[in-house]
Structure formats: C-alpha cells, structure tokens
Amino acid sequence: MRTRLAIKFHGLLEHYFPERRVFLKSDTDTRFIRLRPETQLIAFSGAALLVGWSIIATAILLMDSIGAGNFREQAKRDQATYQVRLNDLSAQRDQRAAEALAAQERFNAALDQISVMQSELLASETRRHELETGLEVVQATLRATMTDREAARTALAAVQEGVGDPDAAALLASRDPGVPVDFLADALARTAAERDQVVADAQQALEHADELALEIALMKENNDQIFRQLEEAMTVSVEPLDKMFKAAGMAPERILNQVRRGYSGQGGPLTPLSFSSRGEELSPDFLRANRILEQMDELNLYRIAAERAPFALPVKQAFRFTSDYGFRRDPKTGGRRMHKGVDFAAPAGTDLHATADGVVTYAGWQSGYGRLIKIQHDFGIETRYAHLSKIRVKVGQRVSRGDHIGDMGASGRVTGVHLHYEVRVGGKAVNPMIYIKAARDVF
C-alpha cells in the first residue's frame, strides 16, 4: 500500500517537477548536478514562502505608514483647533475685562456727577431757605413802614384841617418824611424774582437728576450683561483646567497655593486687582467685579501651573505607541516585570522635546536606560527620556516646554528604535498617559 502511494506521489512530482540536470563544463572535465523532483519541490516551497512573507510584511508596513499618517494629520488638526479655541477664549477674556473696566469707569464718573448735582441742589435749597427768611424780614419791615405811613398821613390830615392839636404836631414832627418805601418795594420785588429763579433752578436740577438716574439704570443693565458674559467666559476657561489637574491626581488648591507663593511679589503678574469702595459698603457690582478679577487671577495661576507640569507629548512628529505603562512579559526570562513608562516608536533621530519647564538633573548613560535625560519640574514631578541616540542638554541647564533636548535612538536594553518616557511624582513612577490624556481633553 505504501509502495503504491509512494509510486503515485513520485509520478505526480515527475509530472510537475521533472528531473533536471545542470551541466558544469570546464576545460578538462564535464560534470552535472541532478535536481530530483523532491529537491525542486522543497526549493519551490521555500521560494513561495519567502515571496508570501515579503508580501505580508510589505502590506503591514504600508498599513502602519497609512495609519501613522492619518494619526499625524488628525493630531495636527486637533492641535490647530485647540489653539484657535484657546486664542479665542483669551481674546474674549481680555475684551470682557476691558469692557468691565471701562464700564466701571463710566459708572464711577456718573456717581461723581450725581454727587456734584446733589451738592448743588442742597446749596440751592439752602439759598432758597435763606431768601425766604430774608423775605419774611423784609415783609415785616414793610408792614411796619406802611403802618407808620398811615399814621403820618392821619397826623398830616389833622394839621391841614387846622385842628391845631399840639400832640398831632409833635407826632408829625417825630416822623421821618424820608422813609424808604420805594426802596423796600424794589427789594421785595428782587427777592421774589430770586426766589422764583431758585425754584426754577431746583426744578431743572431735579429733571437733570432724573435723566442721570435713567442713564445709571441703563448703565447698570449694560454692566450686568457684561458681568454675565465675563462670568460665563471665566467658567468656561477655569473649569476645564481644574478638571485637568484633578484628572492628573494633583490637588488644584495645593498647586495654586504653591504657585501663588512663588509669585507673591507686589506688582507682579499675579497681584489681584480690586476696585476701591472709598470706605463705603461694597455694592453687588463691586463684589461681582472683584470675583471676576479673582477668577482671572486664578486662571493666570492655572496657566503657570500648566506650563510647569508635564501636560504635553515628548514627540511632536509622527509616531505610534508600542508599549503601555504596567506589567508586561519579559521575553528573556518569561516572567512579568513592571514597565514604568510608555514607549513611542518613530524613525531614528526624531526630535524629542521637554514636556514642561524644569531643570536637567541627569544627562548621560545609565544601565538599562542607555542614554538618559532626567528633568526635575515643580510640584515634585520628574520626567525621564531613555534610549536616546544623542543628548542635547547638560546637567543644570534650565529648559522650557517644547525645547529640543535629544534624539530618538536604540541605546541600552531595547529591541528597536523608540523613546521610553517616564513621569515620577515624589520619586514614584506614575502612568504618563494620565497627564497626556488630561492635557488632550483641555488643549
């Protein structure tokens, strides 16, 4: 049975792969190599496997290249969108702040003008009372003068009638014929005119005060709208930053207090502004304005804290994640070991950038890491960049976010070109994706 199957299989091979001879001829001798059907089958199978493997590998590389290109373009579009959004929010915040300050200045000017008008009105009212008092005195004097004049006329009539009464003559002699009746009448008329003028001025002042009150009411409504827009803008700006720090496991209050202590100099960018109340009780508008200014100060603190924490990617060119943070299998020992960072794969020599402001504390070779850079940031945070092909910073050098600090390579214990990126808080490794994802949700 076996012989029959072997004969059939050999015949099939003879049909598709007939035996061939390769002749090798020299000057003195001729030899040949016989290629059996089995040998040809093995060679054909090997060639087919090699071609198939080449096709599959090429397809995988093309798919990775296409995927990396799409991810890069998407990342650029997202970055441009977030940058435009951040610029719009910043411009809107500045515009609302300028409008609030201008409105407050107009409001203070209106209050000063109303105070002046009230002072003038009180002065006019005092003058009117003084004129009324003087008028009453003049009227009393006029009444006495009229009484004396009537008595003088009676005495004169008695004399003219020839009564010859010595008492009447004495009374007539005692009267002063020059009593200023006309002068008193003129003074009375002028006083009455002044009184009417004061009343007219007072009425005009009241009408002007009503106009100012209406203007103040409109100004208050406009200020209230401006305050609402500013409060909404501050809420939209501050809340995402607050969530970003919480998502990264950083207490916002502690972070802001630390930044505030570092920027507490008078006249600096973080000195909170406030409107003066001149010792009077604070109005609701004053309180709202001060709350908005405090939120602006808090937003500025968040901005500085975000610059000093690693909320960024160390690779800005096209890349792909090749290993996450956590336990993974060791290919040499077969056991599980802790991978304390994330790996970014890209071509050799790709620029690597600092993810936050800080100071370089190590720049050299370290076992396992190869060429390694350590940067110490605020809040007890340290970032590490390993397996570099070239280091471009020195120990003690201060770097800013986005600075070119080294090139991607394959130094140390690696299986290919990539960057091993770590984030440590208080000396303990944490997942760098916490910071990267938190920043991506905001920026």
Side-chain angles (χ1 to χ4, degrees), residues 219-237:
M219 188 180 299
K220 285 184 177 179
E221 183 178 356
N222 189 26
N223 287 345
D224 184 66
Q225 183 178 1
I226 292 174
F227 282 140
R228 285 198 303 269
Q229 293 176 351
L230 284 173
E231 289 169 350
E232 292 175 358
M234 288 299 101
T235 301
V236 171
S237 300

Side-chain angles (χ1 to χ4, degrees), residues 289-309:
N290 284 330
R291 280 198 302 269
I292 291 174
L293 291 175
E294 290 174 358
Q295 288 180 332
M296 293 175 65
D297 177 63
E298 184 178 354
L299 181 62
N300 200 17
L301 292 173
Y302 270 124
R303 178 186 61 80
I304 293 177
E307 287 291 331
R308 299 186 175 278

Side-chain angles (χ1 to χ4, degrees), residues 123-398:
S124 299
E125 189 68 18
T126 303
R127 178 63 177 165
R128 185 175 66 84
H129 284 302
E130 293 176 353
L131 291 175
E132 288 179 351
T133 303
L135 183 60
E136 291 176 357
V137 173
V138 171
Q139 288 176 346
T141 304
L142 182 59
R143 284 194 294 271
T145 304
M146 294 295 291
T147 302
D148 292 341
R149 186 182 66 175
E150 292 298 329
R153 286 179 178 177
T154 301
L156 180 61
V159 172
Q160 289 176 351
E161 290 175 359
V163 176
D165 186 358
D167 294 334
L171 179 63
L172 180 62
S174 64
R175 299 297 181 183
D176 184 6
V179 175
V181 177
D182 295 336
F183 173 75
L184 292 175
D186 292 340
L188 180 61
R190 287 195 302 270
T191 302
E194 290 181 1
R195 182 193 62 185
D196 294 339
Q197 184 63 36
V198 169
V199 172
D201 292 341
Q203 184 64 30
Q204 184 179 2
L206 290 174
E207 292 176 356
H208 189 56
D210 292 338
E211 293 176 359
L212 288 177
L214 178 59
E215 184 178 353
I216 290 174
L218 294 176
M219 188 180 299
K220 285 184 177 179
E221 183 178 356
N222 189 26
N223 287 345
D224 184 66
Q225 183 178 1
I226 292 174
F227 282 140
R228 285 198 303 269
Q229 293 176 351
L230 284 173
E231 289 169 350
E232 292 175 358
M234 288 299 101
T235 301
V236 171
S237 300
V238 173
E239 284 187 358
L241 293 172
D242 187 74
K243 292 180 180 178
M244 180 180 72
F245 280 96
K246 289 182 178 178
M250 304 169 67
E253 290 295 331
R254 179 180 62 83
I255 298 300
L256 294 183
N257 289 335
Q258 184 173 346
V259 175
R260 189 179 287 110
R261 286 193 299 270
Y263 290 83
S264 59
Q266 292 295 327
L270 301 180
T271 302
L273 301 175
S274 62
F275 295 117
S276 173
S277 61
R278 300 178 181 177
E280 302 173 357
E281 184 178 356
L282 294 177
S283 65
D285 287 340
F286 277 90
L287 294 176
R288 292 180 72 180
N290 284 330
R291 280 198 302 269
I292 291 174
L293 291 175
E294 290 174 358
Q295 288 180 332
M296 293 175 65
D297 177 63
E298 184 178 354
L299 181 62
N300 200 17
L301 292 173
Y302 270 124
R303 178 186 61 80
I304 293 177
E307 287 291 331
R308 299 186 175 278
F311 292 113
L313 283 169
V315 183
K316 295 184 179 181
Q317 299 180 13
F319 68 89
R320 64 188 183 92
F321 290 105
T322 56
S323 184
D324 294 330
Y325 173 88
F327 287 96
R328 68 180 184 180
R329 180 178 175 274
D330 191 332
K332 291 186 176 181
T333 63
R336 290 169 57 83
R337 64 183 181 89
M338 182 65 182
H339 186 238
K340 298 181 179 180
V342 293
D343 293 342
F344 301 84
T350 299
D351 294 347
L352 303 178
H353 305 271
T355 55
D357 300 353
V359 178
V360 178
T361 58
Y362 186 88
W365 186 277
Q366 184 169 328
S367 177
Y369 285 103
R371 293 183 181 87
L372 172 67
I373 296 175
K374 298 181 182 179
I375 301 178
Q376 185 65 43
H377 310 281
D378 288 346
F379 320 122
I381 301 175
E382 180 190 72
T383 54
R384 296 186 177 186
Y385 311 79
H387 308 312
L388 278 62
S389 62
K390 188 173 184 180
I391 296 175
R392 300 184 180 271
V393 291
K394 299 179 180 179
V395 174
Q397 179 178 342
R398 179 170 293 276

